[in-house]
């Protein structure tokens, strides 16, 4: 540790204040003017407003506490690692803790805020719990915090603010470039399929497909999934930009036999037909075959020689068709969006009659997609690198290296 610096346990220099939730049964508790923060309010580093406001009576009759403005709150249950600065006096729920210096002459709240950001990963790593991870109060109190003289604390905060302003600006530019790259491809895709050419055909899907159909989940649900076996493709595997291997489920041969009417074949287009992910679409990768689909995913299998699977995939992920399908899905689902087999069979698409023209369009879109992904990778690496730089600067600051 740098000469002239002290090291203290957090509980020695700060009051660590818990919170609570006023009874939801009493609606009058929630028509006040006092901000009441939960993890849902910790979207940005600074909390200026909260989703809920409570009354003085709510504070009196619950275990919540008000944290004075200009202090730090941290998540100790749910959202571990989240750190926020509060601009107003703010009450908190039981998933949060307010960290208030015992004396402003000993430790600056802004210094404390930046230090917490540097050790947020430690809080995440300490989390325990089967469903909801949390950390205990003794752990928070025992955290070792380096404490330089107050003028040095202020200098560190000023240096970090200046560095982070530059880093955040660079990150903002990279994120803007990433967004522009994605929008460029989406715009090109929209232009192709929003205005069909004169030699394009208009067809219902049922006339150009051999199969449109979804499967089922094995009796017993996810508890019946196996560690290995035949792939069961679910909606969470299907994305417009590719296949999500990580969440692939597996079933045994006996379970697969019960789904013999939804055997997935090479080149099949997969479309999500229910729920929040409705209309996400991909082409099945050969390396997950043999496979089946559950009830949330429909197989769309083209007739031989009519159209390339990749062209149909590009058609279905284009905005013009995505919007049309979503509109149909909204009408179909009583409680949530859904697309029926009949609606897909009746769905009309436009495409070039000539296979040569189809291949030309696919080749053009493939090239643009590859370039878009290359640019996205570059910008994503820049964003990741800037986040790593931020963490590196924080580490140096609290080791006396700034």
């Amino acid at each position: 540790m740098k000469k002239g610096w002290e090291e203290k346990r957090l509980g020695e220099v700060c009051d660590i204040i818990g919170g609570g939730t006023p009874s939801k049964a009493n609606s009058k508790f929630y028509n006040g003017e006092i901000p009441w923060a939960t993890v849902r309010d910790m979207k940005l580093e600074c909390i200026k407003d909260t989703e809920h406001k409570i009354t003085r009576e709510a504070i009196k009759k619950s275990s919540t506490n008000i944290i004075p403005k200009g202090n730090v709150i941290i998540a100790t249950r749910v959202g571990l690692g989240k750190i926020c600065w509060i601009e107003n006096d703010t009450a908190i729920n039981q998933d949060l803790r307010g960290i208030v210096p015992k004396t402003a002459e000993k430790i600056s709240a802004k210094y404390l805020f930046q230090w917490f950001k540097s050790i947020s990963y430690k809080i995440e790593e300490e989390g325990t719990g089967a469903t909801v991870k949390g950390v205990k109060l003794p752990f928070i109190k025992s955290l070792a915090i380096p404490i330089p003289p107050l003028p040095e604390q202020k200098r560190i905060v000023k240096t970090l603010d200046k560095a982070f302003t530059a880093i955040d600006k660079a990150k903002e530019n990279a994120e803007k470039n990433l967004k522009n790259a994605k929008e460029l491809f989406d715009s090109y895709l929209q232009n192709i399929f929003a205005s069909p050419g004169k030699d394009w055909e208009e067809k219902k899907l049922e006339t150009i497909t051999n199969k449109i159909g979804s499967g089922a989940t094995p009796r017993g649900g996810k508890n019946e999934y196996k560690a290995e076996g035949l792939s069961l493709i679910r909606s969470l595997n299907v994305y417009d930009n590719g296949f999500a291997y990580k969440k692939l489920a597996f079933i045994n041969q006996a379970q697969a036999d019960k789904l013999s009417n939804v055997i997935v074949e090479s080149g099949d287009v997969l479309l999500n037909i229910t729920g929040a992910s409705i209309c996400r679409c991909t082409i099945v990768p050969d390396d997950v075959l043999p496979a089946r689909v559950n009830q949330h995913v429909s197989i769309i299998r083209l007739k031989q020689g009519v159209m390339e699977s990749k062209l149909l995939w590009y058609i279905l992920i284009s905005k013009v068709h995505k919007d049309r399908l979503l509109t149909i899905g909204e009408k179909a689902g009583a409680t949530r969006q859904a697309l029926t087999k009949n609606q897909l069979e009746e769905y009309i698409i436009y495409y070039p009659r000539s296979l040569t023209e189809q291949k030309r369009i696919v080749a053009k879109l493939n090239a643009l997609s590859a370039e878009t992904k290359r640019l996205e990778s570059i910008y994503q690496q820049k964003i990741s690198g800037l986040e790593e730089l931020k963490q590196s600067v924080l580490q140096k600051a609290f080791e006396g290296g700034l």
Side-chain angles (χ1 to χ4, degrees):
M1 182 175 295
K2 193 171 179 181
K3 189 176 179 181
W5 289 29
E6 294 181 85
E7 183 175 271
K8 297 284 187 181
R9 298 296 170 185
L10 187 66
E12 295 179 75
V13 292
C14 292
D15 292 320
I16 301 168
I17 304 166
T21 298
S23 173
K24 295 289 180 74
N26 190 337
S27 60
K28 291 181 180 179
F29 285 170
Y30 291 88
N31 63 4
E33 296 181 352
I34 301 167
W36 178 71
T38 71
V39 171
R40 288 164 61 93
D41 297 301
M42 301 178 80
K43 296 180 178 72
L44 301 173
E45 286 190 350
C46 180
I47 296 179
K48 297 180 181 180
D49 197 10
T50 56
E51 184 178 352
H52 299 288
K53 305 285 196 306
I54 59 175
T55 61
R56 289 282 170 191
E57 187 70 11
I59 293 168
K60 288 177 185 176
K61 294 187 176 179
S62 73
S63 56
T64 189
N65 286 293
I66 294 178
I67 310 303
K69 66 181 179 181
N71 279 296
V72 179
I73 61 172
I74 67 171
T76 55
R77 183 180 174 275
V78 186
L80 286 183
K82 288 190 174 184
I83 314 294
C84 282
W85 178 266
I86 51 172
E87 278 204 355
N88 304 291
D89 292 351
T90 303
I92 58 175
N93 81 344
Q94 65 276 7
D95 297 330
L96 311 181
R97 297 274 181 178
I99 314 295
V100 180
K102 290 182 177 180
T103 169
E105 286 73 34
K106 181 70 174 177
I107 186 167
S108 155
K110 286 191 174 181
Y111 172 85
L112 187 65
F113 176 56
Q114 297 291 6
W115 172 75
F116 258 113
K117 288 198 289 184
S118 77
I119 57 98
S120 62
Y121 70 95
K122 292 183 181 179
I123 298 174
E124 288 184 76
E125 289 173 353
E126 181 69 14
T128 57
T131 53
V132 178
K133 290 192 173 183
V135 292
K136 299 189 185 316
L137 181 58
F139 166 74
I140 298 297
K141 285 185 172 183
S142 71
L143 288 168
I145 177 170
I147 303 179
L150 202 58
E152 177 70 356
Q153 292 181 34
K154 292 178 179 178
R155 186 193 70 79
I156 289 170
V157 168
K158 188 175 179 180
T159 303
L160 287 175
D161 284 346
K162 186 176 179 181
F164 290 166
T165 298
I167 291 171
D168 288 343
K169 182 65 177 175
K171 186 180 174 185
E172 183 184 336
N173 290 335
E175 286 172 340
K176 191 180 294 183
N177 289 333
L178 176 61
K179 184 171 180 281
N180 289 342
K182 290 178 178 177
E183 287 179 349
L184 178 65
F185 178 75
D186 291 341
S187 174
Y188 187 80
L189 202 60
Q190 168 76 354
N191 289 338
I192 288 178
F193 299 114
S195 304
K198 62 180 181 179
D199 294 325
W200 287 38
E201 292 188 289
E202 175 185 327
K203 295 282 187 181
K204 291 181 180 179
L205 276 182
E206 68 174 341
T207 65
I208 61 171
T209 56
N210 285 324
K211 183 172 188 60
I212 295 177
S214 59
T217 297
R219 185 173 293 177
K222 63 182 180 181
N223 294 326
E224 293 299 315
Y225 296 153
K226 311 303 177 185
E228 57 183 23
L230 285 82
S231 303
L232 180 68
I233 298 170
R234 302 173 291 166
S235 58
L236 42 74
N237 301 122
V238 177
Y239 285 82
D240 291 344
N241 61 353
F243 189 89
Y245 289 86
K246 206 172 197 179
K247 296 181 179 179
L248 189 62
F250 298 97
I251 54 178
N252 61 28
Q253 189 62 57
Q255 292 169 317
D257 289 343
K258 293 177 182 177
L259 295 172
S260 59
N261 63 324
V262 285
I263 297 173
V264 186
E265 296 181 4
S266 179
D268 282 351
V269 176
L270 305 178
L271 179 72
N272 287 352
I273 55 173
T274 65
S277 67
I278 188 172
C279 297
R280 287 204 310 237
C281 184
T282 194
I283 297 175
V284 64
D286 287 344
D287 56 2
V288 302
L289 301 178
R292 307 289 189 270
V293 295
N294 74 358
Q295 70 273 22
H296 303 299
V297 181
S298 181
I299 297 168
I300 303 177
R301 184 174 303 143
L302 290 163
K303 290 179 179 177
Q304 195 73 26
V306 174
M307 184 193 301
E308 289 194 14
S309 294
K310 202 148 193 184
L311 180 63
L312 179 59
W313 169 63
Y314 279 131
I315 289 171
L316 294 179
I317 67 170
S318 67
K319 188 176 186 302
V320 60
H321 285 280
K322 181 84 73 178
D323 288 348
R324 279 172 56 197
L325 285 167
L326 285 170
T327 301
I328 294 168
E330 285 173 358
K331 292 175 182 175
T335 56
R336 62 175 183 167
Q337 289 181 297
L339 289 166
T340 66
K341 179 180 179 179
N342 182 64
Q343 286 170 328
L344 290 178
E345 289 174 339
E346 293 292 312
Y347 189 73
I348 294 173
I349 63 168
Y350 301 84
Y351 64 94
R353 182 180 291 106
S354 163
L355 285 172
T356 301
E357 177 63 8
Q358 290 181 29
K359 289 177 181 179
R360 187 193 70 79
I361 290 173
V362 168
K364 177 72 175 176
L365 289 171
N366 284 347
L368 184 59
S369 176
E371 177 61 12
T372 301
K373 286 177 180 175
R374 186 186 72 82
L375 290 173
E376 286 178 1
S377 177
I378 290 170
Y379 297 135
Q380 200 60 65
Q381 284 176 22
K382 283 185 178 179
I383 292 166
S384 298
L386 289 165
E387 280 300 317
E388 288 175 9
L389 176 59
K390 212 171 192 180
Q391 198 61 32
S392 174
V393 171
L394 278 168
Q395 295 298 328
K396 284 184 180 178
F398 300 103
E399 292 170 356
L402 284 187

